[in-house]
């Protein structure tokens, strides 16, 4: 075959979020693929449905089954995402939200009011500074009436104000000035609290550059401090030797008398004394009773210097000043400072540089509230936050489930100030927030992103030392409850986090990420060390949730109810639901689980569901097979469709195993599920064959034998038939029978069905042409035959792709592996034999259609040929041929528009052969006419060659000038010859036949003696004659010696003959003076011996003629009647007389004799004989014919 189909197989594609298990196929455009050989692609367009309506919709339903598998999986991938709120999450009924009673709320309200009344620190823009606004908000949170509020506020204002302290962390310095000769310094810090100043000293305060090392007089002059500070309020860091970027990381706490007016002062010095300033400061801190900061530090400096002087004897070792920092406490933000401070000089003459990193926090050390006396700050802050959370969440009206935990400014103000005043560290605050939010989430869900962020905050603030006591228990309990809550959601995740709800999927992902993050946290490992296999707990709840979901599906669909067929249909619904769930698990859930908690959700759920489905289906199929095996049972069409659909659904489910890890692919329950369907597949194929035949008949019946559109040249029935084949082939491809050897019998049957259906189509389309040809005009009929021819060939080409489409090679290899070489041979014999025979039959039907086509052209072609034949000589050749060429040109336009290239070539070949035969017949009927007649037909033949060759675009020249064309060309050439030329050609043919069949004049006539010897030794059933010929050139004499003959035929009644030989030079017009000579008669023998010599005068001009020859005619002598012809042989004179031949030398007499085989051909069988006979007025021609007829007559009498 010139064309084979390209295979397009349906393969399982990787299931990803952006790609379904099998890509959804869109219906092809009507113009696609129609102009080329059909392909395996499933056709779901208009044409298929049109035929299906007349076909019981069988193929439509089967196609929908296949499309359902695509759409089912695609739907789970591309199902429309819902923008609705996610379904409610499962609540643990055992969890009862903690609710504070009225007394507890009153105490908590007092704590909040106390916090507001004692606000300290510079508020940031997000804080509320108006007390009334904050009080109004707290009244709403705690549901407090105005009267109760006034009472509590009055009590708080009358209570003792909170005592504040300042925590200072001296972290590090950088880019300090170098004071030592080595280019470094030995820095240390001295820091303390300067007592508050009166408002009238505001201007002096701006200019004040206090130094702990200044003289008392200067201090007293610049300071109006009337309070005194104890020695313990001055702190000194360690000395960091030889560095300009010291790292101290030391922490100090100072009690504050006036948080609104006091000042933190810090000096940095380069230590040059031998005696440690830090030691001196520590000793002085043991002394009490000093009055005034100036005198206090003066005593420290004096002690240090006196000790240093004793050691070094010099005052030059005094410490060098590196810079100072002054920070008013009322400028510290609520949350404190954590920043780099630039060092300042103590006077305009001082030169300093560098920065110092400080962390400052204000907090209360004593609170005069009832709740602070009975509960810890951690507990109080947790309860306050919980109460505010509940209120704030209830205020969210839009998507409360997605609340990010952000509270209003008033709430943030209260909570921030309380955390600062309660001296809660960032870690403590993070743990409390996590505990409160996660606890609140269990009763009123909120954003998992918030919970994840809170977990990350705990992780960021976590310290190696961890937490102890109350906080540890609080954190451990919150982790446990949150884990249990999330596990309960995972168990019911198909309901809680449906795939078609984008908000739910986002929540699911964030929940899993929060669990995964929590599992990796050092805090979780520290407080929940016993729960180190959380991934196993997750796997367990996935299994339980999957089983519960499947049981719910079974409960809803009820596959055990109804008749057996209804049960199978319900079972299909179950399997489809499982496939959809598995697809969602692969596309959505598995990605979330594996990336977040490193759990393979897909493998766990798939193995569970696969076994549950296999158990249910295997039991049902046992009942089905039991019914089908009964003799009276027949597979109904609807049952067959249902079983096919069930098989496809199971195959789809099985294919998901490709995404399992290798370790999970063993011992799966659906491994051999196809064996459950063997019995039903056989019966189903019979149904398909019947429906296919019915569909083909209907397709031909409604076919108008017109191209379906401009891009194609076959009719709708061809599309319908190949679409039918494609669907059946697609059905089989989708079955994907896994056992190649076991599939052999099914493929054999399918191939046989296809071949018989194709032949059925070819016969139906031919009958339609024969039936509809009456009443059709010439052009319409030609077009319809062309379309029918294209359609038949379209179907034939489709069958050519079956070996690849059905993977015959794979079947062959499988059979060879299972059955050896016999199995392979069986495949070749069965499948290839079927296809070969079908191809031959279809080509035969195509030839019949071509015959119909050319027969329709025959009358007009005859008229055109007759016009050429009868045209007078006065009309030139172009005018004589014009009608034929015009008809052919018009017809070719129709053929070119209506036929595909291969069929056009076939039709042109057939038309060419028809024309050649018609011209041959015309010439044969007009032998003996004028030469102009044959010249005109010679011109016609050449014109036709040019027409059909079309400058290389048509038929090949070698194809055109072979066969009948050669015969026509020879006929025309000979008819144009004179009678003498025809007679010469007659003898050339006889010479050619005598020496081995070469054309006249070829070099074989001059072949070497050895080759002639081999030729003449061939057996002839008419006998042979032995002669010797030699030529005497000087005398121009040819001597012929007839020696003997052998194995002559018996021509007398006694079984013998009376032979004699007549020898003569031919043709006679070349040897006008030569007469024939004969031997003596040898009576009653078939092996006569003559030994007679004959002489002939032959000139060089005569023997050089290519047709000059000796003829030896053996006759049987009869006394009472004419002699009988026994046979004849010829020998070219060139073999004997040509210069250089051995026979043309004096030694020619000694040569070996030549053996010539006799022949008995009827002269009338030769075309030349008929040409000469037709030349009635030519005496030479008639005389030559007469002699040959006498010989032929004697042969007939015998």
């Amino acid at each position: 075959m010139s064309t084979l189909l390209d295979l397009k197989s349906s393969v399982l594609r990787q299931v990803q979020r952006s790609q379904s298990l099998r890509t959804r196929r869109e219906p092809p455009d009507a113009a696609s693929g129609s102009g080329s050989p059909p392909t395996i692609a499933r056709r779901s367009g208009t044409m298929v449905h049109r035929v299906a309506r007349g076909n019981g919709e069988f193929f439509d339903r089967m196609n929908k089954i296949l499309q359902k598998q695509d759409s089912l999986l695609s739907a789970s991938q591309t199902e429309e995402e819902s923008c609705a709120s996610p379904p409610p999450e499962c609540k643990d009924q055992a969890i009862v939200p903690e609710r504070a009673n009225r007394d507890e709320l009153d105490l908590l309200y007092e704590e909040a009011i106390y916090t507001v009344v004692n606000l300290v620190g510079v508020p940031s823009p997000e804080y509320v500074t108006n007390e009334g606004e904050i009080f109004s908000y707290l009244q709403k949170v705690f549901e407090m009436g105005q009267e109760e509020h006034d009472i509590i506020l009055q009590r708080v204002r009358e209570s003792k104000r909170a005592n504040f302290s300042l925590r200072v962390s001296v972290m590090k310095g950088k880019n300090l000035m170098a004071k030592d000769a080595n280019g470094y310094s030995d820095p240390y810090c001295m820091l303390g609290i300067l007592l508050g100043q009166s408002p009238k000293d505001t201007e002096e305060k701006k200019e004040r550059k206090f130094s702990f090392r200044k003289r008392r007089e200067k201090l007293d002059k610049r300071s109006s401090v009337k309070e005194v500070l104890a020695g313990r309020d001055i702190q000194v860091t360690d000395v960091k030797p030889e560095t300009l970027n010291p790292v101290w990381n030391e922490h100090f706490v100072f009690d504050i008398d006036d948080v609104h007016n006091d000042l933190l002062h810090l000096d940095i010095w380069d230590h040059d004394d031998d005696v440690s300033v830090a030691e001196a400061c520590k000793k002085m801190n043991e002394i009490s009773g000093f009055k005034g900061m100036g005198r206090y530090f003066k005593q420290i400096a004096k002690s240090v210097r006196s000790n240093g002087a004793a050691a070094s004897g010099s005052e030059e070792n005094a410490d060098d000043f590196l810079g100072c920092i002054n920070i008013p406490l009322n400028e510290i933000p609520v949350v404190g400072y954590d920043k780099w401070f630039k060092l300042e000089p103590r006077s305009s003459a001082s030169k300093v540089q560098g920065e110092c990193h400080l962390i400052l926090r204000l907090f209360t050390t004593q609170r005069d509230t009832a709740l602070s006396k009975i509960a810890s700050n951690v507990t109080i802050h947790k309860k306050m936050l919980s109460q505010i959370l509940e209120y704030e969440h209830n205020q969210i009206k839009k998507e409360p489930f997605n609340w990010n935990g952000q509270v209003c400014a008033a709430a943030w103000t209260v909570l921030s100030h309380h955390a600062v005043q309660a001296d809660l560290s960032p870690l403590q605050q993070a743990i409390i927030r996590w505990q409160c939010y996660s606890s609140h989430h269990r009763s009123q869900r909120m954003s998992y992103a918030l919970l994840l962020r809170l977990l990350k905050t705990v992780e960021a603030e976590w310290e190696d030392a961890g937490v102890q006591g109350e906080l540890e228990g609080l954190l451990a309990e919150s982790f446990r409850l949150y884990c249990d809550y999330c596990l309960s959601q995972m168990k019911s995740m198909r309901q809680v986090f449906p795939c078609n709800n984008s908000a739910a999927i986002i929540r699911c992902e964030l929940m899993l990420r929060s669990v995964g993050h929590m599992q990796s946290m050092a805090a979780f490992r520290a407080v929940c060390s016993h729960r180190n296999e959380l991934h196993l707990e997750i796997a367990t709840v996935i299994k339980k949730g999957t089983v519960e979901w499947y049981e719910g599906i079974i409960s809803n669909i009820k596959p055990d109810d109804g008749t057996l067929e209804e049960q199978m249909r319900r079972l299909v619904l179950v399997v489809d639901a499982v496939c959809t769930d598995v697809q969602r698990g692969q596309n959505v859930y598995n990605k979330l689980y594996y990336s977040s908690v490193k759990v393979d959700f897909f493998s766990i759920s798939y193995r569970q569901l696969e076994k549950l489905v296999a158990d249910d289906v295997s039991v049902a199929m046992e009942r089905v097979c039991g019914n089908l095996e009964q003799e009276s049972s027949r597979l109904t069409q609807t049952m067959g469709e249902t079983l096919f659909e069930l098989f496809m659904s199971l195959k789809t489910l099985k294919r998901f195993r490709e995404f399992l890890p290798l370790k999970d692919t063993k011992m799966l329950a659906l491994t051999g599920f196809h064996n459950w369907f063997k019995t039903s597949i056989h019966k189903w194929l019979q149904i398909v064959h019947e429906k296919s035949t019915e569909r083909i008949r209907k397709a031909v019946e409604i076919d108008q034998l017109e191209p379906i559109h401009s891009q194609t040249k076959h009719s709708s029935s061809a599309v319908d038939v190949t679409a039918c084949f494609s669907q059946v082939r697609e059905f089989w491809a989708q079955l994907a029978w896994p056992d190649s050897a076991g599939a052999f019998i099914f493929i054999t049957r399918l191939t046989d069905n296809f071949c018989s259906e194709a032949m059925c189509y070819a016969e139906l389309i031919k009958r339609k042409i024969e039936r509809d040809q009456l009443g059709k005009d010439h052009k319409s009929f030609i077009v319809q035959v062309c379309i029918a021819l294209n359609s038949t060939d379209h179907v034939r080409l489709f069958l050519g792709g079956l070996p690849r489409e059905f993977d015959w090679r794979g079947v062959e290899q499988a059979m060879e592996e299972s059955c050896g070489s016999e199995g392979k041979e069986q495949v070749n014999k069965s499948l290839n034999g079927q296809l070969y025979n079908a191809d031959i039959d279809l080509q035969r039907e195509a030839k019949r259609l071509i015959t119909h086509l050319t027969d329709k052209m025959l009358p007009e072609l005859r008229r055109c040929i007759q016009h050429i034949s009868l045209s007078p000589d006065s009309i030139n050749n172009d005018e004589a041929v014009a009608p034929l060429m015009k008809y052919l040109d018009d017809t070719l336009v129709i053929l070119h528009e209506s036929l595909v290239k291969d069929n056009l070539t076939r039709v042109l070949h057939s038309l060419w052969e028809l024309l050649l035969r018609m011209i041959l017949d015309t010439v044969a009927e007009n032998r003996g006419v004028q030469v102009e007649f044959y010249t005109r037909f010679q011109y016609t033949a050449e014109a036709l060659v040019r027409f059909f060759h079309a400058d290389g675009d048509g038929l090949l020249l070698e194809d055109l000038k072979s066969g009948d064309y050669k015969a026509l060309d020879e006929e025309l050439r000979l008819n144009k010859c004179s009678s003498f030329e025809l007679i010469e050609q007659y003898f050339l043919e006889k010479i050619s036949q005598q020496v081995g069949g070469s054309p006249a004049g070829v070099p074989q006539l001059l072949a070497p003696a050895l080759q002639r010897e081999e030729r003449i030794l061939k057996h002839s059933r008419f006998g042979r004659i032995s002669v010797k010929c030699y030529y005497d050139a000087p005398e121009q004499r040819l001597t012929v010696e007839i020696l003997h003959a052998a194995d002559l035929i018996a021509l007398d009644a006694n079984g013998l003959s009376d032979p004699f030989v007549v020898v003569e030079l031919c043709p006679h017009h070349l040897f006008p003076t030569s007469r024939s000579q004969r031997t003596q008669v040898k009576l009653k023998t078939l092996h006569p011996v003559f030994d007679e010599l004959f002489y002939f005068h032959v000139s060089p001009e005569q023997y050089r003629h290519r047709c000059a020859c000796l003829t030896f005619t053996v006759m049987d002598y009869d006394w009472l009647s004419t002699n009988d012809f026994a046979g004849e042989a010829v020998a070219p004179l060139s073999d004997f007389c040509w210069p250089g031949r051995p026979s043309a030398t004096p030694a020619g007499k000694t040569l070996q004799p030549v053996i010539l085989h006799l022949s008995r051909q009827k002269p009338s069988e030769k075309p030349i004989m008929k040409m000469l006979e037709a030349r009635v007025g030519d005496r030479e021609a008639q005389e030559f014919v007469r002699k040959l007829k006498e010989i032929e007559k004697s042969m007939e009498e015998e």
Side-chain angles (χ1 to χ4, degrees), residues 615-805:
D615 291 344
D616 289 344
V617 174
S618 61
V619 172
M621 286 306 299
E622 286 181 6
R623 297 197 298 270
V624 172
C625 293
N627 287 347
L628 292 178
E629 289 172 358
Q630 298 176 6
E631 294 183 1
S632 59
S633 177
R634 183 179 183 275
L635 183 66
T636 63
Q637 177 181 328
T638 54
M639 187 63 167
E641 293 172 2
T642 303
L643 291 177
F644 177 76
E645 186 174 4
L646 179 59
F647 184 97
M648 294 304 303
S649 297
L650 290 173
K651 184 178 73 70
T652 300
L653 180 59
K654 180 184 175 182
R655 280 182 173 177
F656 280 102
R657 68 176 56 195
E658 296 181 10
F659 304 101
L660 291 174
L662 186 60
K663 61 182 180 63
D664 292 337
T665 57
K666 300 176 181 178
M667 303 298 292
L668 292 175
L670 287 178
T671 299
F673 83 92
H674 61 281
N675 292 316
W676 305 338
F677 293 83
K678 278 186 177 180
T679 303
S680 57
I681 289 294
H682 283 284
K683 296 182 179 294
W684 177 77
L685 287 179
Q686 181 59 35
I687 293 176
V688 172
H689 176 57
E690 294 171 358
K691 294 300 178 181
S692 298
T693 304
E694 179 184 346
R695 176 174 176 174
I696 290 170
R697 292 183 183 278
K698 183 64 178 178
V700 174
E701 179 182 338
I702 65 176
D703 192 1
Q704 300 299 317
L705 291 178
E706 298 174 352
I708 54 177
H709 52 75
S710 60
Q711 301 299 318
T712 61
K713 296 183 179 181
H714 50 260
S715 64
S716 62
S717 63
V719 176
D720 293 339
V721 171
T722 53
C724 173
F725 289 172
S726 293
Q727 284 182 308
V728 175
R729 187 174 54 188
E730 180 74 357
F731 298 157
W732 174 253
Q734 291 299 321
L735 284 178
W737 200 262
D739 178 16
S740 296
F744 169 61
I745 187 171
F746 296 134
I747 293 178
T748 301
R749 183 167 182 178
L750 281 172
T751 303
D752 183 65
N753 289 349
F754 278 10
C755 293
S756 62
E757 291 159 10
M759 278 304 303
C760 174
Y761 171 71
E763 293 173 359
L764 289 172
I765 204 77
K766 184 190 69 175
R767 292 175 191 170
K768 186 178 183 68
I769 287 292
E770 294 172 348
R771 185 174 60 251
D772 297 346
Q773 66 178 330
L774 298 177
K776 294 284 185 181
D777 62 89
H778 179 74
K779 180 178 178 180
S780 299
F781 179 77
I782 290 179
V783 170
Q784 285 197 343
V785 175
C786 290
I787 298 303
L789 180 60
N790 292 336
S791 300
T792 302
D793 202 55
H794 185 74
V795 174
R796 183 183 70 86
L797 292 177
F798 186 94
L799 294 182
L802 292 183
R804 285 190 303 168
E805 310 293 350

Side-chain angles (χ1 to χ4, degrees), residues 540-578:
T540 300
V541 298
I542 290 174
K543 290 181 181 178
K544 292 181 179 178
T546 299
V547 172
E548 290 180 3
W549 175 84
Y550 184 79
E551 291 174 349
I553 292 294
I554 294 295
S555 176
N556 290 334
I557 298 178
K558 298 179 176 59
D560 293 331
D561 293 355
T563 63
L564 184 59
E565 186 172 327
E566 291 173 347
Q567 292 176 10
M568 301 309 294
R569 282 199 293 268
R570 292 172 183 265
L571 202 55
V572 170
L573 297 178
V574 172
V575 180
D576 288 345
V578 170

Side-chain angles (χ1 to χ4, degrees), residues 1079-1120:
T1079 66
Q1080 296 179 358
V1081 177
K1082 302 297 179 181
L1083 300 176
K1084 300 179 182 180
T1085 180
L1086 298 179
H1087 307 283
V1089 177
F1090 301 105
D1091 285 334
E1092 297 185 37
L1093 290 173
F1094 302 94
Y1095 301 98
F1096 296 93
H1097 181 271
V1098 177
S1099 66
E1101 292 76 10
Q1102 291 175 324
Y1103 72 66
R1104 286 193 182 98
H1105 204 286
R1106 60 176 185 165
C1107 63
C1109 62
L1110 280 170
T1111 62
F1112 301 90
T1113 305
V1114 180
M1115 303 294 290
D1116 173 47
Y1117 178 76
D1118 285 331
W1119 294 94
L1120 301 178

Side-chain angles (χ1 to χ4, degrees), residues 31-75:
S32 62
S34 301
S36 58
T39 63
I40 194 172
R42 193 181 311 151
R43 302 171 187 266
S44 57
T46 305
M47 188 64 65
V48 174
H49 293 292
R50 177 176 59 77
V51 177
R53 285 197 297 270
N55 195 23
E57 298 184 347
F58 172 76
F59 286 92
D60 185 40
R61 287 194 298 273
M62 296 300 293
N63 195 46
K64 286 181 179 179
I65 291 174
L66 297 182
Q67 291 178 343
K68 186 203 72 173
Q69 300 303 316
D70 286 342
S71 59
L72 184 70
L73 298 175
S74 298

Side-chain angles (χ1 to χ4, degrees), residues 844-1096:
R844 183 176 62 251
E845 293 299 323
K847 289 180 180 178
R848 291 175 179 172
L849 286 174
I850 293 175
T851 301
H852 274 291
L853 185 63
T854 55
D855 286 350
K856 189 69 174 179
M857 303 178 189
L858 197 57
E860 187 63 22
L861 291 175
R862 283 176 177 165
R863 188 186 65 78
C864 294
I865 295 297
Q866 187 177 16
H867 178 269
I868 297 172
S869 174
L870 299 178
S871 295
D873 296 340
S874 59
I875 297 178
N876 60 39
N877 292 336
D878 286 335
E879 293 180 8
V881 177
L884 174 62
M885 303 309 294
K886 184 180 185 305
Y887 175 76
L888 290 177
D889 192 60
D890 294 342
T891 303
L892 182 60
V893 171
I894 300 173
L895 295 177
H896 184 269
E897 292 176 351
S898 305
L899 289 171
V900 297
K901 184 176 181 180
D902 290 344
N903 286 334
L904 177 61
T905 301
R906 294 172 188 165
V907 171
L908 290 179
H909 269 296
S910 180
L911 183 58
W912 170 247
E913 292 172 357
L914 176 63
L915 284 169
L916 290 178
R917 289 194 299 271
M918 292 178 69
I919 295 175
L920 269 172
D921 293 342
T922 302
V923 172
E925 292 170 359
N926 293 275
R927 288 192 176 101
V929 299
Q930 296 178 353
V931 174
E932 288 75 8
F933 177 86
Y934 306 109
T935 302
R936 176 160 291 174
F937 274 104
Q938 182 73 42
Y939 179 85
T940 302
E942 293 172 356
L944 289 174
V945 168
R946 291 192 299 271
F947 177 84
F948 281 93
H949 181 58
D951 296 328
D953 294 332
L955 303 181
L956 299 176
L957 283 176
E958 52 266 31
D959 293 336
L960 291 170
K961 294 186 176 182
S962 62
D964 288 344
Y965 178 82
K966 289 183 178 180
L968 174 61
D969 186 64
E970 183 70 8
E971 178 83 10
L972 293 172
R973 184 184 66 82
L974 293 176
N975 274 295
K976 291 192 295 182
C977 293
S978 65
S979 297
F980 285 160
E981 290 173 336
L982 289 177
I983 293 172
E984 290 175 2
Q985 184 64 34
Y986 175 83
F987 283 103
L988 281 175
E989 291 181 4
K990 291 183 70 68
I991 292 172
S992 175
Q993 295 170 1
Q994 184 71 49
V995 299
S998 297
V1002 299
Q1004 280 190 338
L1005 296 177
L1006 306 176
L1010 178 61
Q1011 294 180 2
R1012 273 201 318 278
E1013 293 279 344
E1014 292 176 352
R1015 288 198 296 270
I1016 63 177
L1017 288 176
K1018 293 179 181 178
H1019 176 71
S1020 173
R1021 64 190 183 94
F1022 302 113
R1024 56 190 178 277
I1025 183 172
S1026 180
V1027 300
K1028 184 185 293 186
C1029 302
Y1030 40 91
Y1031 180 68
D1032 185 356
E1035 298 292 333
Q1036 296 186 355
R1037 183 178 65 187
L1038 176 64
T1039 302
V1040 179
E1041 185 177 351
I1042 300 177
L1043 302 176
H1044 57 81
D1047 298 325
L1048 300 179
I1049 60 174
L1051 296 175
D1052 293 339
N1054 58 6
L1056 298 173
S1057 291
D1058 303 319
F1060 66 94
V1061 179
V1062 178
V1063 58
E1064 57 185 336
L1065 292 172
C1066 292
H1068 292 159
H1069 64 271
L1070 291 180
F1071 304 95
T1073 60
S1074 178
R1075 296 291 181 263
S1076 61
Q1077 304 180 55
R1078 54 183 290 180
T1079 66
Q1080 296 179 358
V1081 177
K1082 302 297 179 181
L1083 300 176
K1084 300 179 182 180
T1085 180
L1086 298 179
H1087 307 283
V1089 177
F1090 301 105
D1091 285 334
E1092 297 185 37
L1093 290 173
F1094 302 94
Y1095 301 98
F1096 296 93

